[in-house]
């Protein structure tokens, strides 16, 4: 009975509620799946045992049913021969067999009902197991995602992206200043060259 009490507890358990309350959901889900798989193995073994018993009972019922028909024929034969005493004895044997059949049939019906209940509960347990495995996959995906996000944040802290951008901007400003100096030099150099050319013209004009 202990196994079937645990079986019912597992089937009626709210997996989502158990995981929400668990301090370590990933460990809890592994234990739940392990418990379900072990229970399913036990239930299947017990069901197989009772199915074998059911087949044995059916053979006994069939044999006793034939015996009932056999003693009925013997009783009729004894009556036809005027041996009521033998007929009575045959009917007594027939009655014994009939009582055994009734008892076996009652046990057979109970066993059949039990096996049907086990089959129904086994299907529900399979559904619970599938649900638990889906939750396990979801937890693993969440864990992997959290690990990746943590690594990204650790690298961001280690290499300080904002500081790198700031250094790049300062470097860009430095380049801008150098380019400005080059442009200023070109402008100044161009003006000096123009002045020299004008003075040369003036000198040439004086000479002329």
């Amino acid at each position: 009975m202990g196994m079937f009490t645990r079986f019912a507890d597992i089937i009626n358990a709210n997996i989502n509620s158990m995981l929400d309350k668990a301090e370590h959901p990933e460990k809890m889900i592994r234990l739940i799946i392990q418990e379900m798989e072990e229970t399913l193995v036990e239930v299947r073994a017990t069901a197989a045992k009772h199915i074998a018993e059911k087949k044995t009972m059916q053979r006994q019922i069939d044999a006793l049913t034939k015996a009932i028909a056999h003693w009925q024929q013997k009783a009729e034969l004894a009556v036809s021969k005027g041996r009521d005493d033998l007929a009575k004895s045959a009917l007594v044997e027939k009655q014994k067999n009939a009582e055994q059949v009734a008892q076996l049939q009652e046990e057979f019906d109970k066993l059949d009902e039990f096996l049907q209940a086990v089959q129904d509960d086994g299907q529900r347990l399979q559904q619970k197991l599938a649900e638990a495995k889906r939750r396990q996959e979801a937890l693993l995906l969440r864990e992997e995602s959290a690990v990746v996000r943590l690594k990204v944040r650790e690298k961001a802290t280690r290499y300080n992206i904002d500081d790198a951008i700031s250094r790049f901007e300062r470097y860009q400003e430095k380049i801008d200043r150098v380019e400005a100096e080059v442009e200023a030099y070109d402008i100044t150099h161009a003006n000096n060259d123009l002045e020299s050319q004008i003075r040369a013209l003036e000198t040439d004009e004086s000479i002329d």
Side-chain angles (χ1 to χ4, degrees), residues 67-68 71 88-98:
I68 290 172
W71 287 115
K88 183 177 180 181
S89 297
L91 290 175
V92 169
E93 292 299 323
K94 174 188 173 182
Q95 182 62 27
K96 289 179 180 179
N97 290 328

Side-chain angles (χ1 to χ4, degrees), residues 17-130:
S17 177
M18 292 172 65
L19 292 178
D20 290 340
K21 295 177 181 178
E23 183 176 355
H24 300 288
E26 68 282 357
K27 293 181 180 179
M28 175 63 75
I29 195 70
R30 284 200 299 269
L31 291 174
I32 290 174
I33 290 174
Q34 181 181 353
E35 182 77 7
M36 286 181 175
E37 290 176 341
E38 290 176 355
T39 302
L40 195 57
V41 170
E42 293 179 23
V43 169
R44 285 172 177 167
T46 302
K49 177 183 176 181
H50 283 81
I51 289 172
E53 291 179 1
K54 181 181 174 182
K55 290 181 179 180
T56 300
M57 269 186 209
Q58 186 62 59
R59 287 196 296 269
Q60 291 175 343
I61 290 172
D62 293 342
L64 288 170
T65 301
K66 290 180 181 179
I68 290 172
H70 170 77
W71 287 115
Q72 176 65 30
Q73 292 175 355
K74 295 300 181 182
E76 291 173 358
L77 177 63
V79 169
S80 66
K81 299 296 183 179
R83 294 294 307 270
D84 291 346
D85 56 330
L86 293 178
K88 183 177 180 181
S89 297
L91 290 175
V92 169
E93 292 299 323
K94 174 188 173 182
Q95 182 62 27
K96 289 179 180 179
N97 290 328
E99 290 175 356
Q100 291 179 18
V101 167
Q103 183 178 358
L104 283 173
Q105 189 63 52
E106 183 179 357
E107 294 177 5
F108 183 90
D109 292 340
K110 289 181 179 179
L111 186 56
D112 194 46
E113 182 180 350
F114 169 79
L115 287 172
Q116 185 60 50
V118 169
Q119 181 179 356
D120 294 341
D121 287 344
Q123 292 176 352
R124 292 175 60 192
L125 181 57
Q126 287 279 21
Q127 293 173 357
K128 285 281 187 178
L129 182 58

